[in-house]
Amino acid sequence: MSSTLRPALTLFAGLTLIVGVIYPYAMTGIGKLAFNDQAEGSLVVRDGKTVGSSLIGQAFSSPGYFWGRPSATGPMPNNALASSGSNFGPTNPAQTDAVKGRIDALKAADPGNTAKIPVDLVTASASGLDPDISLAAAYYQAGRIARERKLELKQVNTLIEQFGKQPVFGVLGEARVNVLELNLALDKKG
């Protein structure tokens, strides 16, 4: 028995050391060297205070702020510990009701806006944590924000253009803007 127990324990200890200690520290070190911002959580700091992460959406509900994609995480929105989609298909009555409710909320917040509502403002993403919205979703909200903040529409549109990001390599994904960064820029404007 000891002839098989000793090699098994040695193998167990060796693998524990390699997989449980050496590998995690090596990957963390490589991550910090190659992708330091992402490895540290892509935290956004303003005036010495951490205000969020550029990788995880935040719930903004004030009419003077850009609103991000709806979050399907529960019990609170944008909860990274509960990241998941709603898993509702387009014909599911719960999905239809949720989308109708979001459309009604957008129309109530900006009754004069007759533009087509971008789909990312009424549907949750697969993760429920998207930090970005499409440029169309940002422009859709620009009029409401300009009125609420007593800014010219051109000023708000300029911020959207300034913080907008183009598709990766010009073809992957769509043009988008980070909601947290955009709202922080709005706060600086006053």
Side-chain angles (χ1 to χ4, degrees):
M1 176 139 162
S2 68
S3 64
T4 57
L5 186 59
R6 184 179 177 142
L9 289 176
T10 304
L11 184 60
F12 175 74
L15 285 174
T16 299
L17 182 67
I18 291 169
V19 177
V21 178
I22 296 171
Y23 179 78
Y25 276 108
M27 291 300 104
T28 301
I30 291 169
K32 285 187 177 215
L33 287 173
F35 309 101
N36 187 53
D37 185 49
Q38 292 89 340
E40 295 293 329
S42 299
L43 300 177
V44 177
V45 179
R46 292 295 185 267
D47 300 324
K49 291 177 68 176
T50 302
V51 294
S53 169
S54 63
L55 298 177
I56 298 177
Q58 294 186 24
F60 290 94
S61 59
S62 170
Y65 284 104
F66 285 94
W67 299 340
R69 281 193 84 161
S71 176
T73 65
M76 60 184 181
N78 302 101
N79 179 1
L81 295 175
S83 173
S84 67
S86 67
N87 293 332
F88 292 144
T91 59
N92 185 309
Q95 174 73 348
T96 304
D97 291 344
V99 169
K100 283 180 184 175
R102 293 169 184 152
I103 289 171
D104 291 344
L106 286 167
K107 287 182 177 180
D110 194 2
N113 191 344
T114 58
K116 182 179 175 185
I117 298 174
V119 71
D120 56 326
L121 286 179
V122 295
T123 57
S125 67
S127 70
L129 302 174
D130 281 7
D132 301 328
I133 56 174
S134 66
L135 291 181
Y139 287 121
Y140 176 84
Q141 300 178 74
R144 180 194 77 229
I145 291 161
R147 278 190 306 281
E148 288 290 325
R149 291 184 173 258
K150 296 177 181 29
L151 296 171
E152 290 184 29
L153 181 59
K154 184 177 180 180
Q155 290 177 290
V156 177
N157 286 337
T158 299
L159 280 176
I160 295 169
E161 292 166 13
Q162 180 183 348
F163 286 89
K165 298 172 190 159
Q166 294 305 310
V168 179
F169 304 120
V171 294
L172 298 176
E174 66 176 284
R176 66 206 179 284
V177 64
N178 185 283
V179 176
L180 175 62
E181 292 172 358
L182 193 53
N183 284 334
L184 289 172
L186 275 173
D187 284 344
K188 278 188 176 180
K189 281 246 180 244

